[in-house]
Amino acid sequence: ASFEYGLTIGLTLFLSALISLKMRYRAILFGLCFFYRYHFIFLILGYYAYVFIRNKEWKECLSLMAILGVFTLMLSLSIPNYYQDTIYYHLHKPRDNLDSYVIWTTIMKMNFVLFLLPLGFALLFYRQITKEILKYFIIPLPFMLYMAKGSFFGYYFVLVIPFMAVISSYFIMEVMK
């Protein structure tokens, strides 16, 4: 999937999975967004980290990871160079510190409110963070750590923006109380 369609469709599927109440539908939606872009694996892992912190539950996580693992194995065995061209490339692409720094600073300048408000919220209201808003802090964390590695493209931030917007909105509502 091209980055525009893959990210927007994948993000729609991921956010739909977050509001799904049924585990099987959530697993299907997570699987589909993973199919569109492998970058969603980080958000999926962030979701299950949140589920574990909140409920101490691994059953759903392990079953989905097994399904995604089998799916990836099937693609690796059936498509020539699939592993090399897809997974290995994203995990080992060359790091360019200058480009990464320019991308981070440009994105932060363009979206400074979305970066500053969650930080301000965390610092000012850290004792009042509810379990529901905690989800929006934890889910993008693995993806942000992946991007801190330094090898990414600017459009990767599209996956993080909705979570930061929710936290920023929550912060604004807390200040207005």
Side-chain angles (χ1 to χ4, degrees):
S2 66
F3 73 88
E4 296 98 353
Y5 294 118
L7 288 178
T8 55
I9 291 170
L11 193 53
T12 301
L13 293 168
F14 184 84
L15 295 173
S16 298
L18 286 185
I19 61 173
S20 176
L21 299 176
K22 297 193 181 244
M23 183 173 76
R24 69 175 162 261
Y25 296 140
R26 191 168 36 252
I28 290 168
L29 291 167
F30 280 161
L32 288 172
C33 73
F34 177 74
F35 173 74
Y36 274 100
R37 295 296 287 192
Y38 275 114
H39 302 96
F40 284 100
I41 193 67
F42 297 104
L43 295 180
I44 293 168
L45 290 172
Y47 169 78
Y48 286 116
Y50 166 75
V51 167
F52 181 73
I53 289 169
R54 186 169 179 199
N55 304 330
K56 306 290 188 250
E57 175 65 47
W58 277 104
K59 178 183 168 190
E60 183 181 350
C61 176
L62 291 176
S63 61
L64 180 66
M65 290 300 134
I67 291 168
L68 295 179
V70 168
F71 177 73
T72 302
L73 181 63
M74 287 173 35
L75 288 174
S76 295
L77 294 174
S78 62
I79 299 174
N81 298 324
Y82 176 80
Y83 175 81
Q84 186 75 19
D85 294 343
T86 306
I87 298 170
Y88 185 85
Y89 167 76
H90 281 42
L91 293 176
H92 297 92
K93 53 185 153 170
R95 181 177 179 169
D96 187 347
N97 290 330
L98 179 60
D99 284 346
S100 297
Y101 175 78
V102 169
I103 291 170
W104 271 101
T105 55
T106 302
I107 297 295
M108 290 178 84
K109 286 177 191 174
M110 291 171 52
N111 299 286
F112 72 95
V113 172
L114 287 179
F115 281 90
L116 290 179
L117 284 178
L119 180 61
F121 176 77
L123 294 174
L124 294 175
F125 297 102
Y126 71 95
R127 290 188 178 146
Q128 300 170 6
I129 294 176
T130 65
K131 287 183 179 179
E132 190 58 32
I133 200 67
L134 182 65
K135 173 178 17 181
Y136 298 99
F137 276 105
I138 293 175
I139 289 174
L141 192 58
F143 194 71
M144 296 295 281
L145 292 173
Y146 167 72
M147 289 196 308
K149 178 182 160 207
S151 43
F152 61 90
F153 300 105
Y155 66 86
Y156 287 11
F157 277 95
V158 169
L159 299 180
V160 176
I161 298 295
F163 299 97
M164 298 176 85
V166 168
I167 296 166
S168 297
S169 299
Y170 192 82
F171 176 74
I172 291 168
M173 297 308 295
E174 284 296 316
V175 170
M176 293 175 70
K177 284 185 181 177

